[in-house]
Every structure is written in C-alpha cells, then in structure tokens.
Amino acid sequence: MVPLADGGVVQTDLERRRQFEAVVDVVYEPLQRYLGRRAQPADVSELLNDSLLVVWRRLDHCPLDDPLPWSYGVAKRCLA
C-alpha cells in the first residue's frame, strides 16, 4: 500500500490482484454451481465471467473475510 498525504492509502496493483485471486479461490465453484442451477447451461460461463468482472470492479466493497454471500448477490443481479 502507498500512503497518501491525507492519511489514506492506495493499493498497489499486485495487492489488488492478490485480493481478487483470494476471493476467486473462495467463490468460483459455489457461484458456478449457483448459476448452473438457475441458468441455461450455455449461459453459465458468461454469467460467471460477468459476476467475477463485477467482483473485480467492486473489490473495495467486497467483504474479504467472507466474500461468498456478497458474491451471491452479484451473481443474482447478473442473472437478472
């Protein structure tokens, strides 16, 4: 992390990537099963990719200690 003059910090790209990879390790298979139960088989891969893209973009909002419930909400919205 890089400190800012106002007391905040900025994550480096490597730190953000590592956080995302840790989240994906936890949520990938459960989201795949969740989407597989609710969508057409041909659509599951695209919906999973869309969900993980949202997770990446909103990683600052994701609770890193327990990302699965939040990620289910993301997947639910992607299904809609």
Side-chain angles (χ1 to χ4, degrees):
M1 296 204 176
V2 179
L4 298 174
D6 65 1
V9 292
V10 175
Q11 279 184 318
T12 64
D13 289 341
L14 182 59
E15 290 168 336
R16 183 172 173 82
R17 178 180 170 184
R18 286 185 178 152
Q19 283 183 342
F20 177 71
E21 288 172 349
V23 169
V24 169
D25 285 345
V26 172
V27 306
Y28 186 89
E29 288 181 29
L31 287 184
Q32 189 176 39
R33 289 191 305 265
Y34 173 84
L35 293 166
R37 290 188 304 267
R38 289 164 175 80
Q40 296 296 320
D43 297 332
V44 171
S45 179
E46 184 176 347
L47 287 165
L48 181 60
N49 289 339
D50 290 347
S51 299
L52 293 176
L53 179 60
V54 172
V55 170
W56 169 255
R57 288 179 177 167
R58 305 211 49 216
L59 191 59
D60 295 338
H61 300 280
C62 179
L64 299 177
D65 57 331
D66 188 17
L68 190 55
W70 183 84
S71 298
Y72 278 138
V74 169
K76 179 180 176 181
R77 288 175 190 88
C78 287
L79 275 167

